[in-house]
Amino acid sequence: MEEYTSLLFGVWFLIGAALVFWMQAGFAMVEAGFTRAKNTGNIIMKNLMDFCIGTVMFVLLGFGLMFGEDTLFGLVGKPTLGIFTNYANFDWSNFVFNLVFCATTATIVSGAMAERTKFISYCIYSGVISLVIYPIEAHWIWGGGWLSQLGFHDFAGSAAIHMVGGICALIGAKILGPRIGKFSRDSKGKIVKVNAFPGHNIALGALGVFILWLGWYGFNGAAATSLEQLASIFVTTTIAPAVATCTTMAYTWIKFGKPDVSMSLNASLAGLVAITAPCDVTDALGAAIIGIVSGFLVVFGVWLLDYKLHIDDPVGAVAVHMMNGIWGTIAVGLFATKSAPYSELAGLFYGGGFKLLGIQLLGILSVGAWAAVTITIAFSVIKATIGLRASAEEEIVGLDRTEHGLPSAYSGFNMLEDDFDTDDYDEETASLITETLEAAGLATPDEAIEVEYAPSQITSAGKPRMTKVEILCKERNLEKLKNALLKLGITGMTVSHVMGCGVQKGAPEYYRGVALEPALLPKIRVDVVVCKVPVQQVIDTAKKVLYTGHIGDGKIFVYDVEQVVKIRTGEEDFAALQDVE
């Protein structure tokens, strides 16, 4: 039976490693969803290369430094290439499991430095983390090094992985500087306003969080050695993030008047990070308290970086990983209890005194100092040689295009859907909508969508009048508008992306409590020239399709056209429009 149990948990250990690898997809989705669309391809590429470069580095040196023969008084493992020289007797399972953990450490840094880092520079420092930074401090904790000899406890990596990744992220974001436009400054250079850059796809970010939560059961539970211990780990790994998310949702609801979606998603990750170290030695009550603190801590962390430290962290990686990694490591010294399966530890609140807490604090200071010093050296060398940050032009255009030659990560996709699925509605419904709007004091379609007529131009006698209709609208309404115009018989139109705003500068919106007040908003401009189709019919159709009653529905401009020439045939005016109208 003992042999069967050992075999069963050996298989589960490898399944857990696969779940941790799958977390790489979660990190990619979270980072991509919480940043702007023009950098999506770059972010996907970085998360792919985290694992691939990390594998090469871990094979060459990292695994030896982590699990090689202990040397230098527990500071480092002796480098070995046993995977090549003695493959038949190599510890394959341990290698794969710790490799995926190593890649996780590197990918945390990506989010905090997103949207303005050179790709080549990212590859280099990601390799350094996997080659040296993570393996050495992980040797102290899990490879038989000096911290493990003292009794330091970090079951699955709140300190070894998340705190280290978060510290590297914090230092990298500070050295790199904020994204263009993140902070507004006065004439003396003093920051007077924090600007929000909402993520372009909250659904993608949410998918990433769910992937990560699933993977975390392997992250925390893979090293379990009994069914009782595994089940207890699953319980604490569920309670902490759930309570953290409820806490953040309630706090942001009270603070900002609405429950914040992206902050609540980050709270789930914060709770998972915090429970990672104590997941095997705490109980349900301890996990709940850890989750409550995590929920507040992630909000505080985002505020601290934005408003006090003025460090730009696009995805909240520092608040989630560094701050909650530290908190989770401290929590071992507070909430460890011998009532947990196979736990021999007792924290301060469970009668264990201050000893364990002191050891945990020593581990935080030593591991944190190692990560901070080594990554600062790495970033400084990269910055002084090949450069760390992309140019302003590259950042504005987007790293997809400038770093990878990718015009768009979403080519061919219409990312936003209309509020209504149908192209039109009957007269009774239209009348009801108008009456309802008037009763509520809201604008009707005729009032909401402005039509501006340009001064008439005198045309040559006998020539039919030609009219250009210029329509400005939201991009999500393009397909609906196009289909409606095609039904009128218009088959020729020009569509372009433009930036602009009216007096209102768009409807007021908020992101993580920060008001969004962009001076220019992205719009679509649709130009059509009509002669045979009645102009008023084009106008009425556009108004009907685009109207929602909200600020930003669009505007329509009407101009007289003096002459049209078809280049291919030389036809002019009415004849030139016949097969494009």
Side-chain angles (χ1 to χ4, degrees):
M1 187 64 184
E2 184 177 343
E3 183 179 349
Y4 174 79
T5 301
S6 176
L7 178 62
L8 178 65
F9 278 90
V11 174
W12 162 243
F13 187 69
L14 290 175
I15 293 174
L19 286 171
V20 177
F21 167 75
W22 178 233
M23 290 173 70
Q24 203 72 23
F27 282 116
M29 297 301 99
V30 169
E31 186 180 344
F34 284 2
T35 52
R36 291 171 290 185
K38 63 184 179 181
N39 299 302
T40 301
N42 174 259
I43 287 165
I44 298 301
M45 190 69 172
K46 288 192 301 180
N47 281 269
L48 171 65
M49 297 314 300
D50 270 330
F51 184 79
C52 296
I53 293 174
T55 298
V56 175
M57 297 296 103
F58 204 63
V59 167
L60 293 177
L61 184 61
F63 184 74
L65 293 176
M66 183 173 177
F67 283 107
E69 181 183 348
D70 192 40
T71 185
L72 295 178
F73 309 102
L75 290 177
V76 67
K78 186 178 181 180
T80 175
L81 289 176
I83 192 171
F84 297 116
T85 60
N86 190 21
Y87 187 75
N89 299 310
F90 190 70
D91 189 355
W92 311 296
S93 297
N94 208 26
F95 172 81
V96 171
F97 185 72
N98 284 279
L99 167 62
V100 293
F101 269 49
C102 180
T104 300
T105 308
T107 201
I108 291 169
V109 188
S110 174
M113 300 176 66
E115 302 201 276
R116 72 258 200 221
T117 304
K118 285 184 176 181
F119 181 69
I120 181 62
S121 302
Y122 179 83
C123 291
I124 293 172
Y125 75 69
S126 178
V128 170
I129 293 172
S130 299
L131 185 71
V132 177
I133 296 177
Y134 168 78
I136 290 180
E137 53 89 3
H139 174 78
W140 301 350
I141 299 170
W142 295 322
W146 68 278
L147 275 177
S148 64
Q149 295 171 22
L150 288 177
F152 180 80
H153 185 84
D154 183 6
F155 187 73
S158 285
I161 296 171
H162 298 285
M163 184 188 75
V164 169
I167 288 173
C168 294
L170 175 67
I171 294 173
K174 176 63 176 178
I175 294 176
L176 198 60
R179 290 168 291 176
I180 296 172
K182 175 62 178 179
F183 301 110
S184 298
R185 302 176 185 270
D186 60 18
S187 58
K188 297 180 180 179
K190 181 181 178 181
I191 294 175
V192 294
K193 183 183 176 185
V194 177
N195 297 309
F197 290 170
H200 82 281
N201 193 328
I202 202 72
L204 204 63
L207 174 62
V209 170
F210 283 116
I211 290 173
L212 287 169
W213 197 328
L214 171 64
W216 230 286
Y217 289 114
F219 197 93
N220 286 357
T225 56
S226 72
L227 181 58
E228 294 82 6
Q229 186 183 42
L230 179 60
S232 176
I233 290 172
F234 269 44
V235 168
T236 57
T237 302
T238 302
I239 291 176
V243 172
T245 307
C246 291
T247 302
T248 297
M249 181 196 70
Y251 177 79
T252 57
W253 205 333
I254 295 170
K255 177 74 173 177
F256 307 131
K258 298 288 179 65
D260 191 296
V261 179
S262 63
M263 194 75 82
S264 297
L265 290 169
N266 264 350
S268 299
L269 300 181
L272 289 163
V273 168
I275 200 62
T276 296
C279 62
D280 67 319
V281 294
T282 192
D283 57 13
L285 177 60
I289 297 172
I290 291 169
I292 291 171
V293 176
S294 295
F296 286 112
L297 192 57
V298 70
V299 180
F300 168 76
V302 171
W303 171 85
L304 179 67
L305 260 68
D306 276 353
Y307 289 93
K308 295 301 179 181
L309 301 180
H310 302 307
I311 296 175
D312 184 14
D313 178 359
V315 303
V318 175
V320 169
H321 297 281
M322 187 193 81
M323 293 186 177
N324 283 280
I326 292 173
W327 162 235
T329 309
I330 293 173
V332 173
L334 299 175
F335 300 104
T337 172
K338 293 183 180 180
S339 65
Y342 302 100
S343 172
E344 298 179 355
L345 301 177
L348 177 63
F349 297 150
Y350 287 82
F354 288 92
K355 182 180 179 180
L356 179 59
L357 180 60
I359 294 173
Q360 295 299 110
L361 292 173
L362 175 62
I364 290 170
L365 292 174
S366 57
V367 172
W370 164 255
V373 170
T374 50
I375 198 63
T376 299
I377 294 172
F379 283 140
S380 299
V381 171
I382 294 171
K383 184 176 180 180
T385 52
I386 63 174
L388 191 60
R389 180 164 183 153
S391 68
E393 181 181 357
E394 290 171 332
E395 182 180 342
I396 292 170
V397 172
L399 299 183
D400 283 5
R401 183 180 294 273
T402 58
E403 289 277 14
H404 307 284
L406 184 67
S408 171
Y410 298 106
S411 180
F413 284 82
N414 184 17
M415 295 305 297
L416 297 175
E417 297 295 333
D418 289 296
D419 296 329
F420 303 99
D421 293 329
T422 57
D423 285 337
D424 47 31
Y425 40 82
D426 56 38
E427 292 182 4
E428 182 180 354
T429 303
S431 176
L432 180 61
I433 289 174
T434 300
E435 291 174 6
T436 303
L437 290 170
E438 290 176 345
L442 299 175
T444 60
D446 288 338
E447 298 169 330
I449 301 182
E450 302 177 33
V451 180
E452 183 174 317
Y453 291 87
S456 299
Q457 300 177 7
I458 300 174
T459 59
S460 302
K463 285 190 175 183
R465 180 180 180 183
M466 297 172 293
T467 306
K468 176 184 177 183
V469 181
E470 180 182 289
I471 305 167
L472 297 177
C473 65
K474 296 177 180 178
E475 184 171 4
R476 68 187 182 196
N477 294 325
L478 175 60
E479 285 298 311
K480 198 171 185 179
L481 176 63
K482 182 189 73 174
N483 293 335
L485 292 178
L486 291 177
K487 288 182 179 180
L488 293 180
I490 295 173
T491 58
M493 63 184 72
T494 302
V495 179
S496 55
H497 287 83
V498 295
M499 301 288 290
C501 67
V503 174
Q504 297 152 319
K505 296 185 178 179
E509 297 178 357
Y510 298 87
Y511 181 73
R512 293 181 176 174
V514 178
L516 301 177
E517 298 179 358
L520 297 176
L521 301 171
K523 294 283 187 179
I524 289 292
R525 189 179 78 191
V526 179
D527 294 324
V528 297
V529 177
V530 296
C531 185
K532 184 170 59 176
V533 177
V535 175
Q536 193 59 46
Q537 193 173 356
V538 175
I539 294 171
D540 292 342
T541 299
K543 289 169 64 176
K544 187 176 182 180
V545 167
L546 300 177
Y547 175 72
T548 66
H550 299 291
I551 295 172
D553 278 347
K555 288 185 174 67
I556 300 172
F557 300 88
V558 182
Y559 305 90
D560 284 337
V561 177
E562 183 174 347
Q563 188 175 15
V564 176
V565 179
K566 184 188 294 185
I567 296 175
R568 177 173 58 85
T569 63
E571 295 172 301
E572 297 186 7
D573 300 331
F574 182 81
L577 296 173
Q578 289 315 292
D579 60 355
V580 295
E581 179 178 298

